[in-house]
């Protein structure tokens, strides 16, 4: 929900009430680039573990709808653009070494859904970084690297995906990346086909296949319809996610086009 009023003033409030507020603490050396979240409870930890071990199958474009929830765009505040620019610069410098996907694999990044061919962008997820993102935001250690396939069969590094626990408030997400600059998203109201599990999804199975009813693009968006179809309903899958295309043109850095 959009938690801003008509004057553009930010209103307090959380996305969900799963956990108590998690106070934010900042590192003194690089406060804009590394944020620590103290006191994450067991529910948040369990959900985040699913977030970062499984990741997601992306839609062709990120637009709000029955299977997608976006954060609102907040009015820009002093320092927002500078903070975002600093984040992009730090990420670009730290991640350039992964231009060769072999180097990324050696560092623990693994292709998500390798059985799904013809993806517009391939996500190489890092379990360790994803688990750390439950508590901290480190721009140099994204939960996934993003590679775009080229005509010659190679993969070109275009950016990174960062994740956050599903019950972080808008204020806490804004501390990680300004909401005036970027929109975080969640995948919601998804019906998995019969027999699908999070483990099978990591390999690319169980995403709906050719049956248009199931998966993150499926026609089913209610628990009742999912039960009737023999599927498993997920009110929300994974946590908050945001793409930062640091190796693309400036106007594409904050786009989510795949």
């Amino acid at each position: 929900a959009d938690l801003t009023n008509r004057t553009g003033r930010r209103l307090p409030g959380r996305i969900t009430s799963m956990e108590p507020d998690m106070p934010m603490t900042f590192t003194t050396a690089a406060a804009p680039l590394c944020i620590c979240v103290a006191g994450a409870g067991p529910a948040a930890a369990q959900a985040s573990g699913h977030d970062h071990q499984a990741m997601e199958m992306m839609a062709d474009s990120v637009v709000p709808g029955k299977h997608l929830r976006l954060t609102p765009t907040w009015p820009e505040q002093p320092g927002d653009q500078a903070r975002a620019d600093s984040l992009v610069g730090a990420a670009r410098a730290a991640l350039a070494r992964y231009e060769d996907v072999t180097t990324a694999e050696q560092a623990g990044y693994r292709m998500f859904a390798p059985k799904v061919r013809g993806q517009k962008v391939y996500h190489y997820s890092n379990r360790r970084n994803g688990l750390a993102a439950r508590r901290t935001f480190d721009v140099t250690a994204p939960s996934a690297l993003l590679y775009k396939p080229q005509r010659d069969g190679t993969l070109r590094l275009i950016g990174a995906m960062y994740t956050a626990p599903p019950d972080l408030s808008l204020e806490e997400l804004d501390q990680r990346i300004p909401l005036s600059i970027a929109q975080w998203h969640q995948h919601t109201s998804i019906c998995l086909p019969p027999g699908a599990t999070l483990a099978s999804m990591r390999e690319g199975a169980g995403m709906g296949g050719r049956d248009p009813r199931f998966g993150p693009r499926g026609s089913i968006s209610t628990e009742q319809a999912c039960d009737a179809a023999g599927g498993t309903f997920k009110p929300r899958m994974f946590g908050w996610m945001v793409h930062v295309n640091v190796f693309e043109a400036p106007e594409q850095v904050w786009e989510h086009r795949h």
Side-chain angles (χ1 to χ4, degrees), residues 33-35 87 94-95 129 132-133 136-143 162 176:
L33 302 179
C34 182
I35 301 175
L87 183 152
L95 304 180
N129 292 354
T136 66
F137 175 68
D138 184 351
V139 71
T140 70
S143 297
Y162 298 93
R176 294 191 175 206

Side-chain angles (χ1 to χ4, degrees), residues 36-254:
C36 301
V37 183
Q46 181 181 12
S48 296
H50 290 166
D51 300 344
H52 311 315
Q53 293 173 40
M55 292 296 143
E56 61 171 328
M57 284 296 290
M58 295 297 180
D60 288 339
S61 59
V62 170
V63 292
K66 60 184 179 182
H67 294 309
L68 199 68
R69 183 181 192 179
L70 300 179
T71 55
T73 300
W74 277 1
E76 185 172 338
Q77 302 296 313
D80 279 0
Q81 189 63 59
R83 185 155 58 95
D85 291 344
S86 177
L87 183 152
V88 170
R92 187 179 291 128
L95 304 180
R97 69 181 123 171
Y98 300 124
E99 180 179 359
D100 184 342
V101 70
T102 302
T103 303
E105 290 173 333
Q106 292 172 347
Y109 289 91
R110 297 290 181 265
M111 181 187 289
F112 175 74
K115 294 181 180 179
V116 178
R117 302 304 177 186
Q119 298 181 49
K120 294 183 178 180
V121 172
Y122 287 90
H123 296 64
Y124 276 71
S125 61
N126 186 299
R127 183 176 183 274
R128 178 180 296 180
N129 292 354
L131 292 173
R134 298 175 180 178
R135 303 174 304 277
T136 66
F137 175 68
D138 184 351
V139 71
T140 70
S143 297
L145 297 171
L146 307 176
Y147 290 89
K148 188 173 183 178
Q150 304 299 292
R151 290 184 178 180
D152 62 1
T154 61
L155 293 174
R156 179 174 66 85
L157 178 64
I158 64 170
M161 184 177 79
Y162 298 93
T163 57
D167 57 337
L168 251 61
S169 68
L170 293 180
E171 289 77 13
E172 290 166 325
L173 291 173
D174 182 70
Q175 292 288 352
R176 294 191 175 206
I177 301 178
L179 295 186
S180 62
I181 305 295
Q183 281 190 298
W184 295 75
H185 66 277
Q186 282 186 351
H187 294 270
T188 59
S189 303
I190 295 173
C191 182
L192 299 181
T197 64
L198 288 173
S200 67
M201 290 178 62
R202 284 195 287 270
E203 296 299 315
M207 297 306 295
R210 296 181 179 180
D211 192 323
R213 297 176 299 169
F214 300 109
R217 305 177 193 176
S219 60
I220 296 177
S221 59
T222 66
E223 186 172 9
Q224 182 179 8
C226 188
D227 289 344
T232 301
F233 186 72
K234 298 291 185 180
R236 178 187 60 219
M237 291 196 65
F238 318 128
W240 289 108
M241 307 172 185
V242 64
H243 285 205
V244 189
N245 306 310
V246 299
F247 297 106
E248 295 284 65
E251 65 272 14
Q252 298 175 329
V253 167
W254 299 106

